[in-house]
């Protein structure tokens, strides 16, 4: 593989942008913190352009042609993750303008968003256990701070819970990485692929499950999901939108890369499939009882991780798994952020009943809510419908037909709590006052949801086909 440090230009832009944003915010008065916002947006735009220019057009998904320092893979999965992360952080900043403008920690928030996005990309691109640990810390620490930015008892409790679970997950991940590298004789995934083949199955299972536990915390999957609903409810809206979207992008691609190199001495498709079934089922059943819109979306995002684990389970069985994962991640990101943009646009609304009258008084915002929630269900022609279609197909091709049945039943269950929210939006009432920037972000996000769904051919052509490198 070739070595090309300049290929890390998107990551360098995010890192440099975070440093400049922090420094700019330190010297600017509070009423001029918008300059820090502009710096952050400029860094994201440059990172997005450089990621698009560096996108591997000629190589299929499995045709890896470049790596950096033998630990950072530049394949289609990395290219897609870069673009989706940059777009997601831009949308988070857009929906959070009214909430963050003029706050004492406005520039620090933008810095944390950039660093968290950088951590997600590192997670997705790594093929080395040591770099995976670095990516985990880089993606996790900004989340702890973002959750605790709001000075409220709920935010403090959520930040403490997130930190404690994150610390436990980090220890498990490092423990697993130590076990795997010890028995494989190296930390690179290439060493794992060869060194673990003849290793004792029990030792491989302990090490791999410990590393996967760390990634499940990052993604918000069972059994390390407990922080997600509390953090979503207690954090600010922009922070909640970020933590339920961006870390997942990196963690699930990282999980797919790890499962792809594990030996077949243990039934990894069955184990990951069981985790997927438990995650989507628990998330959907818990969401049924929620009356707080933020907490409902928190449990919704847990259930979505279950669907996203389906292609991870069959990543070694079918070449359709990785493209399906990337398509679903892109569709989920724009859909979930659109739903949070609607929340940000009605900052005074907390319970589902607070959205009564939205369809009559704010039809564009109500349309964005309808599109985002129907997309989360998986209704055509939306982004998550395309994602569910591809992951269901991949799981079926990979021999997990039972998991497809479980996912289909869960999709029907999810319809009830999403429709309950929509019914409230269409009932007569007087909704709370709306904010301008989040309103525009919600409409833009809704158009993105439809664009991904209607542009299925273009999206699937972008992710290509094949296996991870």
């Amino acid at each position: 593989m070739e070595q090309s440090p300049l290929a890390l230009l998107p990551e360098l832009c995010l890192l440099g942008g975070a440093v400049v944003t922090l420094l700019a915010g330190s010297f600017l008065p509070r009423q001029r913190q918008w300059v820090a916002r502009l710096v952050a947006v400029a860094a994201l735009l440059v990172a997005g352009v450089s990621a698009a220019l560096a996108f591997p057009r000629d190589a299929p998904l499995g045709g890896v042609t470049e790596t950096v320092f033998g630990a950072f893979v530049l394949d289609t999965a990395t290219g897609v993750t870069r673009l989706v992360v940059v777009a997601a952080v831009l949308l988070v900043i857009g929906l959070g303008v009214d909430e963050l403008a003029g706050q004492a920690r406005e520039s620090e928030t933008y810095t944390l968003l950039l660093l968290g996005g950088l951590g997600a990309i590192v997670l997705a691109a790594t093929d080395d256990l040591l770099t995976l640990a670095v990516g985990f810390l880089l993606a996790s620490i900004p989340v702890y701070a973002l959750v605790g930015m709001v000075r409220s008892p709920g935010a403090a409790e959520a930040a403490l819970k997130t930190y404690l679970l994150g610390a436990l997950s980090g220890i498990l991940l490092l423990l697993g990485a130590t076990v795997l590298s010890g028995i494989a004789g190296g930390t690179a995934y290439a060493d794992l692929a060869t060194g673990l083949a003849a290793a004792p199955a029990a030792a491989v299972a302990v090490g791999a499950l410990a590393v996967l536990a760390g990634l499940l915390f990052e993604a918000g999957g069972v059994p390390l999901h407990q922080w997600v609903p509390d953090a979503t409810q207690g954090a600010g809206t922009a922070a909640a939108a970020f933590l339920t979207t961006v870390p997942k992008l990196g963690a699930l691609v990282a999980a797919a890369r790890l499962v792809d190199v594990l030996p077949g001495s243990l039934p990894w498709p069955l184990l990951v499939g069981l985790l997927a079934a438990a995650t989507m089922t628990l998330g959907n059943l818990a969401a049924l009882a929620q009356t707080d819109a933020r907490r409902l979306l928190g449990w919704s995002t847990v259930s979505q991780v279950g669907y996203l684990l389906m292609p991870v389970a069959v990543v070694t069985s079918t070449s359709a798994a990785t493209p399906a994962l990337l398509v679903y991640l892109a569709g989920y990101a724009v859909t979930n952020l659109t739903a949070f943009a609607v929340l940000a646009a009605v900052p005074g609304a907390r319970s589902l009943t607070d959205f009564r009258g939205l369809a009559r008084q704010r039809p564009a915002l109500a349309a964005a809510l309808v599109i985002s929630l129907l997309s989360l269900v998986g209704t055509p022609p939306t982004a998550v419908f395309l994602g569910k279609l591809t992951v269901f197909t991949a799981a079926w091709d990979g021999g997990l037909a039972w998991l497809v049945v479980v996912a289909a039943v869960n999709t029907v269950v999810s319809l009830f709590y999403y429709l309950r929210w929509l019914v409230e939006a269409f009932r007569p009432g007087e909704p709370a006052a709306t904010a301008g920037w989040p309103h525009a972000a919600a409409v833009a996000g809704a158009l993105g949801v439809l664009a991904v769904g209607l542009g299925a051919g273009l999206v699937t052509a972008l992710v290509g086909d094949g296996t991870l490198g």
Side-chain angles (χ1 to χ4, degrees), residues 192-272:
L192 300 185
T194 56
L196 297 181
V204 175
V206 169
L209 287 175
V211 176
L212 283 175
L215 296 177
L216 284 174
F217 163 80
E218 206 70 61
V222 170
L224 291 160
H225 64 285
Q226 297 93 336
W227 64 278
V228 177
D230 290 343
T232 307
Q233 186 179 25
T237 307
F242 179 86
L243 66 90
T244 56
T245 306
V246 176
K248 286 179 174 54
L249 303 174
L252 288 160
V253 176
R257 289 193 193 277
L258 178 67
V259 172
D260 192 41
V261 299
L262 292 177
S265 54
L266 287 171
W268 294 109
L270 177 61
L271 290 174
V272 180

Side-chain angles (χ1 to χ4, degrees), residues 281-291 295-300 303 417-418 420:
T281 303
L282 179 63
N284 280 325
L285 292 180
L288 285 173
Q290 305 306 317
T291 57
R295 200 165 181 84
L296 185 150
L297 283 180
W299 281 111
S300 163
S303 73
Y417 60 83
Y418 290 128
R420 191 153 51 88

Side-chain angles (χ1 to χ4, degrees), residues 17 38 46 90 203 221 250 254 264 282-283 298 310 323 413 415:
L38 289 183
V46 175
L90 279 172
L282 179 63
M310 292 173 67
V413 172
L415 186 63

Side-chain angles (χ1 to χ4, degrees), residues 400-420:
L400 294 183
W402 65 270
L403 185 57
V404 177
V405 174
V406 172
V409 172
N410 269 278
T411 298
V412 175
V413 172
S414 70
L415 186 63
F416 290 96
Y417 60 83
Y418 290 128
L419 283 182
R420 191 153 51 88

Side-chain angles (χ1 to χ4, degrees), residues 291-392:
T291 57
D292 184 288
R294 294 165 188 261
R295 200 165 181 84
L296 185 150
L297 283 180
W299 281 111
S300 163
T301 193
V302 173
S303 73
Q304 295 291 330
V305 175
Y307 301 108
L308 286 161
L309 283 172
M310 292 173 67
V312 176
V314 295
V315 71
T316 58
S317 307
T318 173
S319 60
T322 307
L325 174 63
L326 298 177
V327 169
Y328 202 141
L329 283 173
Y332 167 75
V334 67
T335 301
N336 190 59
L337 291 176
T338 301
F340 274 97
V342 174
L343 289 183
V346 194
R350 300 293 297 192
S351 72
L352 300 185
T353 56
D354 292 336
F355 288 86
R356 289 178 178 175
L358 188 70
R360 181 171 298 179
Q361 302 295 331
R362 306 284 187 273
L365 202 57
L369 181 65
V370 170
I371 291 171
S372 62
L373 295 186
L374 290 183
S375 180
L376 288 172
V377 174
T379 306
T382 57
V384 173
F385 165 75
L386 177 62
K388 284 192 175 182
L389 184 64
T390 56
V391 300
F392 284 15

